[in-house]
Every structure is written in structure tokens, then in C-alpha cells.
Amino acid sequence: VFFIVNKDLENTQHCEINLGDFSAEKVLYHTELKAPLEAKNTLDSQQVVPVTRSFEAETKSCFTVDFKPASWNMICIDLL
């Protein structure tokens, strides 16, 4: 599992993750939290909701992902 925060408030960040000697059987999921910074969840309103994103790994040991501005991300992979 990788946790990645894009603290840039304006720009999408492009990230390459290289697993080196490890291999990923598959990328299980990419979960993203993205909302206006002043947003908050209450009992009556859920403004910040996780979204599952999909992407394809380029190889079994290297993949790239774009992270939206001011977002919190979790990528889960299944290692061989």
C-alpha cells in the first residue's frame, strides 16, 4: 500500500512508482480523496467522499499515476 498526498493546490502531479526487484501481480485499486479544502463531513452532508480510480500498470514493476491537486491517495497493489 502506498499513501501519497499532493499538497500542490493548483497542479496535478505525475508520479512513477518503481517496485525495483518486486513485481506486482496487479494493481488492486487507487482510492482518492479530493474536495475543496474548506469541505467537511457532517451527519447531514458528506462533502468529502472517497473515489476509486483505475489505471493500468505499464509493467509488473513500474507504473505511473496522476494525482489531482490537493488530494490524498492510496494505491493498493498485490505483490507476487
Side-chain angles (χ1 to χ4, degrees):
V1 176
F2 294 91
F3 295 99
I4 297 129
V5 176
N6 181 2
K7 292 171 42 175
D8 191 316
L9 300 179
E10 298 177 4
N11 300 303
T12 296
Q13 297 298 318
H14 181 75
C15 180
E16 179 179 297
I17 298 173
N18 187 327
L19 301 174
D21 291 337
F22 293 98
S23 292
E25 183 163 330
K26 64 181 175 178
V27 177
L28 298 177
Y29 54 86
H30 169 200
T31 301
E32 173 188 78
L33 283 177
K34 167 81 176 109
L37 294 180
E38 65 278 355
K40 61 183 175 181
N41 288 351
T42 65
L43 290 176
D44 299 325
S45 172
Q46 270 77 59
Q47 297 176 341
V48 183
V49 180
V51 175
T52 300
R53 305 258 180 233
S54 62
F55 63 95
E56 295 295 322
E58 296 163 7
T59 68
K60 288 190 176 269
S61 63
C62 184
F63 50 96
T64 58
V65 187
D66 290 327
F67 301 109
K68 292 183 181 179
S71 65
W72 178 94
N73 302 269
M74 181 178 71
I75 295 176
C76 185
I77 60 172
D78 188 5
L79 293 177
L80 289 176

